[in-house]
Amino acid sequence: MRSDHFWLSHVRLETGFQMENGAVTGTETGIYHIRVEKGTIAQIEQETFVFEDDLPKMHMNGKLMLPSFRDMHIHLDKTYYGGPWKAPSIARNGIFTRFEEERALLPRQLPVARERAGKLIELLLQAGTTRIRSHCNVDPSIGLKNLEATLQAAEDFIGKAEIEIVAFPQHGLLLSQSVSLMREALRNGASLVGGVDPATVDGDVEKSLQTTMELAVEANADIDLHIHDGGHLGLFTFQRLADLTEEAGWQGRVTISHALALADIPREKAAAHAERLAGLGISIASSVPLGRTIPIPLLHERGVKVWLGDDSITDHWSPFGRGDVLEKAGNLAERFHFVDEVELGQTLGCITGGVTPLNRGGEQTWPRVGDEASVVFVDASCSAEAVARRAQRVAVFFKGRLAAGAIPAAR
């Protein structure tokens, strides 16, 4: 269903907090009508508004409207999803076992890579995600073929989702001698420079990071690096990446994925590192791993932007994953004991690019006239319930276009 100009009627929006004796006891909501024009929110009216036009009206039956979600770390290009079940083998030599597997696996999966990426994108859309950052292997064993397949899958969903692709030298930027391939990838559709463990994989933190930054500056591209290295090695890598970010003027253009070293150190030390990252606008993407979760609340307190992602979905790295970042937000809330109305609701910002309907003070901050009409309707009374109960997604819109789900039958 597509119209550039229509009403979303009988929409539930959050309007403030319910208070009792100075404490928040719940979330207030109201029913509104929202006019969408050319992909943006053009008008917001209360339930008593009298329609005086003949524009199409989609009756949302009081379903709660939230900003649509963002999956900021996933691998679309090498999933088993959409194909036969297959569990991973035991990685007897850590990530190097997986690298060896990929040299044979990726060429073998190439004929179905576009189809399976598409199936995974459909899964993400159904869960409310309309913005996706996918890392895509670029290495001598597959060249740019996985990139080509992933770009084709992304083209299949133009108008339904926005997909950015990280050129990802999974087997090591230096180790696999992939610098020239990375340049090609950045000229042929990839929009970010990726990398993995400059110390453990490439064996040379300085040269690996310097080369990564040179690629980014040359292509005017942002950076998103996997850094799993823990302890002092991981922290040293953060420090050198921060130094190079400052020297290159790349503030606000760098993401560290995983950043597991932050889970290995005392709070005071983590706070100092967080302040440096925040000052340079270096963000962090996390999949909220159950066994080694970085101190996300502390990072938020110090001003670091933290985004969530699914990482691997049913592939040779992991048999798990549901493609649902709202579930990830719920996991985050459980992990850090966010149980009250405010904290639960604010957790939503980790999967919406920082946008929440209410701020911590209970002021309504979204939606506003002029906002992009990329929204998800959920079966919940408020954001807090949506996060805590991983609410059912009913309908998903991307820039005013129905991208997944269906309009509820009017009652």
Side-chain angles (χ1 to χ4, degrees):
M1 185 173 188
R2 175 71 191 268
S3 172
D4 288 334
H5 200 171
F6 59 91
W7 286 94
L8 292 167
S9 71
H10 302 87
V11 170
R12 185 171 302 280
L13 297 178
E14 296 175 48
T15 57
F17 290 134
Q18 299 168 359
M19 305 292 294
E20 186 175 322
N21 298 324
V24 175
T25 58
T27 299
E28 295 179 346
T29 65
I31 300 299
Y32 291 80
H33 309 301
I34 297 175
R35 182 168 62 84
V36 175
E37 183 174 356
K38 296 181 179 179
T40 63
I41 294 172
Q43 189 175 349
I44 303 172
E45 300 292 348
Q46 294 186 350
E47 185 176 14
T48 54
F49 176 75
V50 177
F51 296 101
E52 296 181 350
D53 57 52
D54 58 357
L55 293 175
K57 296 172 183 63
M58 302 184 195
H59 197 301
M60 301 312 296
N61 273 342
K63 299 300 182 186
L64 179 69
M65 189 175 88
L66 299 174
S68 63
F69 306 149
R70 304 180 179 210
D71 191 312
M72 295 300 287
H73 187 112
I74 198 165
H75 296 264
L76 296 174
D77 66 314
K78 50 190 179 185
T79 182
Y80 294 154
Y81 185 78
W85 161 258
K86 182 174 174 58
S89 65
I90 295 174
R92 300 189 185 280
N93 191 28
I95 61 175
F96 294 98
T97 296
R98 300 299 183 223
F99 296 170
E100 188 61 35
E101 289 173 344
E102 287 188 355
R103 292 185 183 98
L105 176 66
L106 296 187
R108 194 164 62 241
Q109 286 197 164
L110 187 60
V112 295
R114 177 180 181 175
E115 176 188 354
R116 290 188 182 176
K119 293 288 187 182
L120 188 46
I121 294 167
E122 287 178 359
L123 181 70
L124 299 178
L125 277 172
Q126 291 162 9
T129 295
T130 61
R131 281 184 165 76
I132 301 164
R133 175 178 289 184
S134 176
H135 298 260
C136 181
N137 269 47
V138 173
D139 60 69
S141 65
I142 197 63
L144 300 187
K145 293 177 181 177
N146 265 30
L147 175 61
E148 292 165 5
T150 307
L151 285 168
Q152 289 168 351
E155 288 174 8
D156 294 338
F157 288 86
I158 288 175
K160 290 188 174 183
E162 184 176 282
I163 302 169
E164 59 180 3
I165 299 176
V166 184
F168 182 45
Q170 172 77 84
H171 303 165
L173 178 64
L174 306 181
L175 182 66
S176 64
Q177 300 180 352
S178 293
V179 176
S180 60
L181 273 173
M182 289 287 288
R183 284 198 173 94
E184 284 188 59
L186 292 162
R187 289 194 295 262
N188 288 278
S191 53
L192 288 91
V193 178
V196 58
D197 293 333
T200 298
V201 175
D202 274 339
D204 189 331
V205 172
E206 195 64 29
K207 185 176 180 182
S208 182
L209 289 178
Q210 286 275 6
T211 306
T212 297
M213 186 59 73
E214 288 167 7
L215 286 168
V217 172
E218 179 184 306
N220 192 24
D222 290 0
I223 293 171
D224 191 330
L225 293 181
H226 289 57
I227 303 181
H228 310 91
D229 286 332
H232 294 297
L233 185 58
L235 295 173
F236 175 74
T237 306
F238 298 166
Q239 290 169 357
R240 287 303 297 137
L241 178 59
D243 293 341
L244 292 172
T245 298
E246 189 168 16
E247 290 170 16
W250 236 239
Q251 291 91 334
R253 303 190 65 175
V254 176
T255 299
I256 300 174
S257 284
H258 305 302
L260 296 181
L262 291 172
D264 301 337
I265 56 178
R267 178 182 174 88
E268 299 74 24
K269 198 167 185 179
H273 282 280
E275 287 172 3
R276 179 90 197 279
L277 297 178
L280 294 168
I282 296 176
S283 58
I284 289 178
S286 176
S287 61
V288 197
L290 298 179
R292 199 175 172 198
T293 312
I294 61 175
I296 293 175
L298 171 65
L299 295 170
H300 275 303
E301 289 170 14
R302 294 303 192 274
V304 178
K305 294 177 179 178
V306 180
W307 316 128
L308 304 187
D310 278 289
D311 201 2
S312 295
I313 301 284
T314 314
D315 61 14
H316 68 291
W317 290 80
S318 170
F320 306 113
R322 297 180 60 183
D324 186 351
V325 289
L326 183 59
E327 180 181 47
K328 292 289 183 181
N331 292 346
L332 173 61
E334 285 193 68
R335 171 64 180 78
F336 290 102
H337 311 292
F338 295 162
V339 297
D340 64 87
E341 198 82 2
V342 177
E343 293 295 348
L344 283 167
Q346 291 301 301
T347 302
L348 192 72
C350 288
I351 61 170
T352 61
V355 180
T356 55
L358 303 176
N359 62 21
R360 289 183 177 276
E363 178 186 6
Q364 187 181 37
T365 55
W366 181 91
R368 296 276 192 251
V369 170
D371 286 346
E372 183 178 289
S374 294
V375 301
V376 54
F377 287 89
V378 301
D379 192 8
S381 63
C382 61
S383 295
E385 183 184 5
V387 170
R389 303 188 68 184
R390 287 72 158 176
Q392 178 185 359
R393 274 37 57 93
V394 176
V396 183
F397 287 81
F398 177 64
K399 297 182 179 180
R401 178 178 181 177
L402 184 64
I407 307 304
R411 292 183 298 187

